[in-house]
Amino acid sequence: MSEFDGLTAIVTGGASGIGLATATLLASRGAQVACLDLNPEVDKPLIGVRADVTDDESIRAAVASAAETLGGIDVVINNAGIGAQGTVEDNDDAEWARVFNVNVYGMVRTTRAALPYLRRSSHAAVVNVSSIAATAGLPQRALYSATKGAVLSMTLAMAADHLQEGVRVNCVNPGTADTPWIGRLLAKADNPEAERAALEARQPTGRLVSADEVAAAIAYLASPLAAATTGTSLAVDGGMQGLRLRPRT
């Protein structure tokens, strides 16, 4: 038997990138998985549910629909998010509000809607997707870093709040991952190949993190096998946060 046999999960932003990789992995390990997304076109056995994490009514309806279809919710993967570039003065108030609305408030809305179901589960787990930007200062990422720092702190508070209810809460901090968003970012660069090389070079492994590698970390934290793990942030960044290597000669 697989560790997720008999369990159910919802994944926001589950139709592409890290979300799809995570949903696919959880399903391969026995879970029934609903992908909540603005464009929820996924292949079976995944179940697509349209959801807008910026709209409380939409996300409540989507979570309720997923719970009815799945027969409950044991695992919540808060993955939906958007990027932002610039220094602290480069984005106006409207852009700050927009990015926080997705990256932070979206997780609040989703978890809030799912908690009644999680409280009924014997293996309840929430995994939030934060970022290396929460723990390392990256250039031109002030707004994005602020949202991911909020996710990291919120994860710790949520873990404390819901521990006695049997709900574990953790987060992953991916480094620069090879996702569709990074692809679009590179496509806008004056020299996409040089920009990609620069992103790869700043990670000690010399390459971008794959969506599958992040998914594996999420699955570990969501698994009943990690029942003693809560209030933890797991870096999946190729050593970017913790290592200080000597220059290659």
Side-chain angles (χ1 to χ4, degrees), residues 9-36 42-43 45-47 77 79 215 218-219:
I10 61 172
V11 182
T12 63
S16 65
I18 291 171
L20 179 58
T22 301
T24 301
L25 180 58
L26 293 178
S28 74
R29 295 187 182 180
Q32 291 181 280
V33 186
C35 298
L36 278 56
V42 292
D43 295 329
L46 302 178
I47 300 165
I77 311 299
N79 166 74
I218 293 171

Side-chain angles (χ1 to χ4, degrees), residues 25-209:
L25 180 58
L26 293 178
S28 74
R29 295 187 182 180
Q32 291 181 280
V33 186
C35 298
L36 278 56
D37 205 292
L38 284 170
N39 299 298
E41 296 183 9
V42 292
D43 295 329
K44 294 182 179 180
L46 302 178
I47 300 165
V49 180
R50 190 186 184 285
D52 180 355
V53 298
T54 69
D55 182 270
D56 190 58
E57 183 176 346
S58 171
I59 198 64
R60 285 184 183 275
V63 169
S65 175
E68 181 177 2
T69 301
L70 298 172
I73 297 173
D74 300 294
V75 173
V76 173
I77 311 299
N78 281 314
N79 166 74
I82 57 176
Q85 292 180 274
T87 70
V88 74
E89 65 180 346
D90 290 332
N91 294 292
D92 61 18
D93 286 359
E95 182 67 357
W96 276 79
R98 185 179 79 91
V99 180
F100 263 90
N101 198 19
V102 177
N103 291 4
V104 182
Y105 305 156
M107 293 189 183
V108 172
R109 295 183 185 105
T110 304
T111 308
R112 186 168 58 198
L115 271 170
Y117 305 101
L118 292 172
R119 292 185 179 111
R120 300 173 199 152
S121 171
S122 299
H123 301 289
V126 176
V127 182
N128 299 325
V129 178
S130 183
S131 169
I132 180 66
T135 58
L138 304 180
Q140 298 291 314
R141 293 292 185 274
L143 170 51
Y144 182 73
S145 297
T147 65
K148 293 304 183 177
V151 169
L152 176 58
S153 295
M154 184 172 67
T155 296
L156 299 176
M158 288 169 60
D161 285 338
H162 302 293
L163 177 64
Q164 299 303 318
E165 297 176 319
V167 181
R168 297 185 300 109
V169 186
N170 295 286
C171 72
V172 293
N173 296 340
T176 303
D178 201 352
T179 62
W181 182 75
I182 288 295
R184 291 190 293 271
L185 188 67
L186 293 174
K188 296 178 182 178
D190 293 335
N191 188 334
E193 291 185 4
E195 184 64 19
R196 184 182 184 92
L199 291 177
E200 292 173 339
R202 76 180 183 184
Q203 299 197 176
T205 54
R207 64 173 178 82
L208 300 185
V209 177

